[in-house]
Amino acid sequence: MAKELRPVSLVVQQAGACSLIKAGEGFSLRGRDLTNPRGGKLCAYAICSVFPRLMTILRDLAPNADLPREPLTCAAPGCGATFSMEDPSPTDQSGMFTSPFMRRRTDNVVVQDGDPKKKPVAFLKRLSLDLYDELQFIGFERKYSDGSAILQQGVVATHLLILTHGMATVVVRREGEETLIGSVGEGDFFGEYSLLTGMTADFEVRAVGDCMVLSINQKEFYQLILKRPALFHIVAKMISEKFKAAAITVENELSRGILGKLSMIPLADLVQTFYQSRRTGTLVIHYHTDQSFILFHNGSVVSAVAGKRRGEEAFYRMLAWSDGEFCFEPSEPFELAPDRDGAVRLDTVGLMMEGMRRVDEFRASASGKYPSPGT
């Protein structure tokens, strides 16, 4: 039986004798998912000691009741660290409620019974000893201190980066605000999309505590891939797994109805996800003061309206937008009216191909200012 639990943050009041945590740090709990968006390390003793008591409190807590003011104390011998229970702050929520692309409408969480999904095997653990030795031979290790940027947003990656020790967070900066969208685990690589495509990185990877990173020059990496096909297969499989995991995340969110920003997930990616998962519903886009929409039926784009534009031309215009907020409202399949507003006659694959061609031409010739719906 699923049980709805309240999200909560545990903030360190006193670190006691614990050398891992500091006052003001802490962790956030959403169901059984644990994050530390405030930074710092998590003490396993403290988590194992406090977690069962916290779950009992949350299960017994009446709806809309205030959280208890009594602190929770770590039961590890000689520790004495205390934690206060608080409602999640905006900083906490960036890690708890924001997927890599979007935010949920509700902060409620449903905890399902059963074992959690297995964590993917890290890149370095998939390598044979000889492959691991070759990577170590052609790369160089560098130490990063707490809070320093390992991969910078807006910069083209020139090296494959592998986190060999420690932990790092993934942060996106948009319009002066930062959003925590994920983390990098020990043994995993990152920045590969920028390295392979030559495009600037869309996010910043930042050290949490002291980290060690193995950096491999692009040319050396390409030569090793050509020399060792086994390495190519491992890298290709992991990149495929990342895209698949992202698609599953988006698809799961779409089934609930979502809010999001085009700066976080472009319209082209949304359309591809709708198409592959055969979604039906309406995507409403707020761009500055204007509102536009795209109607999907079993994954296909069937209508589009943007200001004075209708049909294919409206879709092409929206595809060029790099910002704006969207809302998707799922619905059951329905019978299409032939005289529907903004009817799109072109199939979705052809629509996307033509749209991306026009966007490339527009971005090559324009000054960078995206057109409004009515122009």
Side-chain angles (χ1 to χ4, degrees):
M1 180 71 68
K3 180 173 179 61
E4 194 171 12
L5 292 181
R6 177 176 177 174
V8 65
S9 292
L10 287 182
V11 182
V12 180
Q13 284 187 329
Q14 296 180 355
C18 183
S19 60
L20 294 178
I21 59 178
K22 299 177 182 178
E25 296 178 349
F27 56 90
S28 299
L29 182 71
R30 182 175 183 270
R32 298 185 185 275
D33 294 331
L34 209 60
T35 59
N36 60 334
R38 298 183 182 221
K41 297 181 179 180
L42 299 181
C43 176
Y45 284 109
I47 293 172
C48 293
S49 168
V50 171
F51 184 82
R53 285 178 281 161
L54 177 62
M55 295 295 286
T56 300
I57 291 172
L58 293 178
R59 288 194 178 101
D60 295 340
L61 196 66
N64 301 320
D66 293 334
L67 289 167
R69 293 187 177 183
E70 297 79 19
L72 295 173
T73 304
C74 178
C79 177
T82 58
F83 299 83
S84 62
M85 292 171 279
E86 301 179 3
D87 289 316
S89 68
T91 300
D92 300 331
Q93 291 177 16
S94 68
M96 295 170 68
F97 312 128
T98 305
S99 74
F101 323 108
M102 56 196 67
R103 61 185 185 277
R104 298 176 188 270
R105 286 187 173 184
T106 174
D107 290 347
N108 291 334
V109 56
V110 176
V111 181
Q112 300 289 348
D113 293 335
D115 295 332
K117 294 181 180 180
K118 293 183 178 179
K119 187 177 180 180
V121 179
F123 170 63
L124 291 182
K125 292 185 177 180
R126 303 190 188 199
L127 303 180
S128 60
L129 289 176
D130 56 332
L131 274 177
Y132 181 82
D133 289 341
E134 287 197 63
L135 284 177
Q136 291 279 358
F137 180 76
I138 64 174
F140 63 91
E141 274 196 315
R142 179 180 174 184
K143 183 177 180 180
Y144 290 85
S145 58
D146 182 42
S148 58
I150 305 172
L151 175 67
Q152 294 183 341
Q153 181 176 336
V155 175
V156 178
T158 58
H159 291 72
L160 181 71
L161 302 168
I162 307 171
L163 189 65
T164 57
H165 178 73
M167 178 183 174
T169 54
V170 183
V171 178
V172 171
R173 296 192 305 275
R174 303 290 188 202
E175 300 176 356
E177 296 183 357
E178 287 193 350
T179 303
L180 178 69
I181 65 172
S183 63
V184 180
E186 196 168 285
D188 279 331
F189 59 73
F190 54 94
E192 72 283 352
Y193 184 78
S194 176
L195 179 74
L196 297 174
T197 63
M199 299 177 66
T200 58
D202 292 329
F203 52 81
E204 177 174 299
V205 178
R206 192 177 296 166
V208 177
D210 291 338
C211 296
M212 293 297 296
V213 175
L214 180 65
S215 181
I216 302 172
N217 178 273
Q218 182 185 54
K219 181 179 179 181
E220 298 277 1
F221 177 62
Y222 283 171
Q223 290 177 345
L224 184 58
I225 280 182
L226 294 175
K227 174 184 172 184
R228 302 296 301 271
L231 178 62
F232 170 78
H233 289 306
I234 293 172
V235 172
K237 184 177 181 181
M238 290 200 68
I239 292 176
S240 175
E241 289 173 357
K242 286 186 178 183
F243 279 108
K244 184 177 180 180
I248 291 174
T249 299
V250 175
E251 185 175 342
N252 289 340
E253 296 295 333
L254 295 179
S255 65
R256 301 182 181 96
I258 59 169
L259 301 171
K261 293 185 177 182
L262 294 180
S263 59
M264 300 296 292
I265 175 170
L267 178 58
D269 293 348
L270 276 174
V271 173
Q272 184 177 2
T273 301
F274 288 140
Y275 184 76
Q276 292 176 345
S277 57
R278 299 180 62 82
R279 294 290 177 186
T280 297
T282 304
L283 182 69
V284 180
I285 301 176
H286 296 271
Y287 181 81
H288 297 173
T289 59
D290 300 286
Q291 180 171 293
S292 305
F293 77 85
I294 302 174
L295 183 63
F296 292 83
H297 187 267
N298 289 329
S300 297
V301 176
V302 294
S303 296
V305 174
K308 300 177 182 178
R309 296 176 181 268
R310 297 290 189 274
E312 288 85 351
E313 293 300 321
F315 179 83
Y316 300 149
R317 183 53 50 93
M318 286 184 273
L319 203 61
W321 297 344
S322 64
D323 58 11
E325 295 188 345
F326 64 81
C327 169
F328 178 73
E329 294 290 348
S331 66
E332 295 297 324
F334 51 87
E335 185 175 349
L336 292 173
D339 59 344
R340 63 188 180 277
D341 189 21
V344 172
R345 308 300 178 186
L346 196 62
D347 70 274
T348 302
V349 174
L351 187 71
M352 283 293 295
M353 292 179 64
E354 174 63 17
M356 295 307 296
R357 183 189 68 80
R358 294 193 181 198
V359 169
D360 289 341
E361 289 183 352
F362 173 77
R363 289 177 176 171
S365 59
S367 61
K369 180 179 179 181
Y370 289 88
S372 62
T375 57

